[in-house]
Amino acid sequence: MSSEKTFLGHPRGLATLFFTEMWERFSYYGMRAILILFMTTETAQQGLGLDVETSAAVYGLYTAAVYLLSLPGGWLADNIFGQQKSIWYGGILIMIGHLVLAIPGHQEIFFTGLAFVAIGTGFLKPNISSIVGDLYGDDKGARRDAGFSIFYMGINIGSLLGQTVVSFLGEKVDWHMGFGAAAVGMFLGLVQYKLTQGTLKGIGEKPQKRVKLPGERTSNTFTYLLTVGAIALIFALQYFGVVDVTTATGIAKSVGVLIVVITLAYFANIFIAGGLDVKERKQVFVIFLLFIGAAIFWAGFEQAGSTLNLFSRDYTDRFIFGYELPAGLLQNFNPFFIIVLSPVFGALWIRLSAKGLNPNTPVKFGLGLISMAFGFLIMYFAALIAAQGAKAGMGWLIFTYLFHTAGELTLSPVGLSATTKLAPRKYYSQMMGIWFVATALGNLIAGLFAGGFDPENASEVPNLFMSVVMLGTGAGIMFLIFSGFMRKWMGDVK
């Protein structure tokens, strides 16, 4: 038996990646907890002084960009920098971005800081996850799954710490001190990454261009034509007055149109000219349906940092023993519930599987969407209280986050796993990218949706939340209804 030191029974490199990701998530979620609050606070109170619609659009663009930029971030790692350097460069860019945000100044400084953070996260996020998998080589069994579970725990610990520290400093002391704390968190992550980088043993140190698979197409003609066509569409929408790219909301809507059009055209191209057999076409169509379900789910779930955060600030009684808690602090219940419920859900699926009762992927998607919708149903009743001129108790938000977390645990890991199993081998990396695009689209929709939140008119909030209830419930029911044919088209994939 090897005497080599391990981290909780796993390769020591997992500890390096665990703490790097923990501090990166500390900075990301910490800053996200105060982002829309800072933008909508009046300049007299050291905020940015933007209206809710503009702030929500900026929030949506930023959170969407984080995931979209992971696609070029992964490509640059594979072809130019290697994964280890991409993580290092990404962390530096993230730290610089938070330092820029910590500088009091005009909107230009603020948006520059957001751009640095988004680009840096695009470098770091996909590549650190890839190295986690590479630590286990050809071992695709339970040990690898357990390693990812530990890594995922680091994400949630970082989120819990970041949203606590940054919320308190940002809301109770100084907004820019909160952004500065996020920079310190990323700095600590960089220091420990550099000090312990040797434990990765050269994994991801050099770019590794993927070997071309038999029958794989390498022509970029379709990509170029699609890009030009999508840009032309935006110009046409601008010309006919459908969107206005001179405003943040217009830009966000335009990006949403681009994502939808490019995704639809991409899948159409795969079906028509992708060289797939009948079975592969059916499985890719299932991926397309999962993409739609995931985008709808994230459109509701990711309102934690926008609509629900504004509700926490404006319509929630946050006093405990005479002290008012920071509004962003309530977002901590999601990572807290993740930490508590992850082993519960893991044990539940295993027990159900042993009895032959484990729900298939489409059913889990349906349940996840309905759970998200139920969370907003709770918020609908909380909003009715606010509409009567009173403040809702914190319990409404806490139970909402409980159901949202249950939905996340039911849908997110299952969807990611199903995509890896259903994707045709020659389009494997592209299909994994599609999963990031679904998350990006959901974040963008969440931001645009929050633009309808009016802090001065509480009577409109119940209908706002009810629209999410209807969307999530409707989508969830559709997945349950069509789970039979989807399961059949998935073939031998569970």
Side-chain angles (χ1 to χ4, degrees), residues 210-218 266 269-270 273-277 280-281 284 420 422-432:
R210 189 167 55 86
V211 177
K212 180 182 174 183
L213 296 169
E216 185 169 3
R217 301 164 70 237
T218 56
Y266 171 78
N269 181 61
I270 292 292
L276 304 179
D277 58 30
E280 288 175 327
R281 283 195 178 94
V284 168
T420 64
L422 291 168
R425 185 58 189 168
K426 58 185 174 182
Y427 295 109
Y428 182 82
S429 297
Q430 296 176 37
M431 290 299 170
M432 293 309 297

Side-chain angles (χ1 to χ4, degrees), residues 124-146:
L124 187 147
K125 187 66 177 168
N127 294 303
I128 196 168
S129 299
S130 297
I131 295 184
V132 172
D134 291 340
L135 288 174
Y136 296 89
D138 294 329
D139 181 2
K140 300 185 184 298
R143 188 165 179 261
R144 172 191 284 256
D145 293 342

Side-chain angles (χ1 to χ4, degrees), residues 145 280 282-291 294 359-365 410-425 427-428 431-432 434-435 479 486-487 489-494:
D145 293 342
E280 288 175 327
K282 289 181 178 180
Q283 292 183 332
V284 168
F285 185 69
V286 173
I287 292 177
F288 174 67
L289 295 179
L290 296 180
F291 171 91
N360 59 46
T361 297
V363 169
K364 287 180 179 177
F365 257 64
T410 303
L411 180 146
S412 181
V414 172
L416 181 60
S417 176
T419 302
T420 64
K421 297 173 183 177
L422 291 168
R425 185 58 189 168
Y427 295 109
Y428 182 82
M431 290 299 170
M432 293 309 297
I434 285 293
W435 184 257
F479 268 93
M486 289 179 65
R487 176 66 188 87
W489 281 21
M490 291 172 70
D492 56 356
V493 176
K494 300 297 184 182

Side-chain angles (χ1 to χ4, degrees), residues 335-354:
F336 171 76
F337 286 137
I338 285 283
I339 293 171
V340 172
L341 295 179
S342 287
V344 176
F345 272 76
L348 175 64
W349 302 142
I350 292 174
R351 178 168 294 185
L352 289 175
S353 181

Side-chain angles (χ1 to χ4, degrees), residues 198-263:
T199 62
L200 301 179
K201 297 183 177 180
I203 298 174
E205 191 171 4
K206 296 180 181 179
Q208 295 179 352
K209 294 186 178 181
R210 189 167 55 86
V211 177
K212 180 182 174 183
L213 296 169
E216 185 169 3
R217 301 164 70 237
T218 56
S219 173
N220 291 317
T221 303
F222 174 75
T223 302
Y224 297 145
L225 291 175
L226 179 58
T227 303
V228 172
I231 294 174
L233 174 62
I234 294 302
F235 276 110
L237 293 175
Q238 171 73 17
Y239 180 78
F240 289 108
V242 178
V243 299
D244 182 6
V245 295
T246 62
T247 66
T249 302
I251 293 172
K253 290 179 179 178
S254 299
V255 172
V257 170
L258 283 174
I259 292 174
V260 171
V261 170
I262 289 174
T263 301

Side-chain angles (χ1 to χ4, degrees), residues 326-405:
L329 191 68
L330 293 184
Q331 293 180 60
N332 265 334
F333 282 97
N334 171 238
F336 171 76
F337 286 137
I338 285 283
I339 293 171
V340 172
L341 295 179
S342 287
V344 176
F345 272 76
L348 175 64
W349 302 142
I350 292 174
R351 178 168 294 185
L352 289 175
S353 181
K355 296 181 179 180
L357 299 174
N358 190 25
N360 59 46
T361 297
V363 169
K364 287 180 179 177
F365 257 64
L367 295 175
L369 283 161
I370 292 173
S371 183
M372 179 274 290
F374 193 82
F376 273 95
L377 181 61
I378 293 173
M379 290 308 303
Y380 168 78
F381 290 107
L384 289 178
I385 295 174
Q388 295 172 359
K391 288 205 170 186
M394 290 183 287
W396 296 98
L397 275 167
I398 293 172
F399 276 101
T400 293
Y401 287 131
L402 173 62
F403 280 96
H404 283 189
T405 301

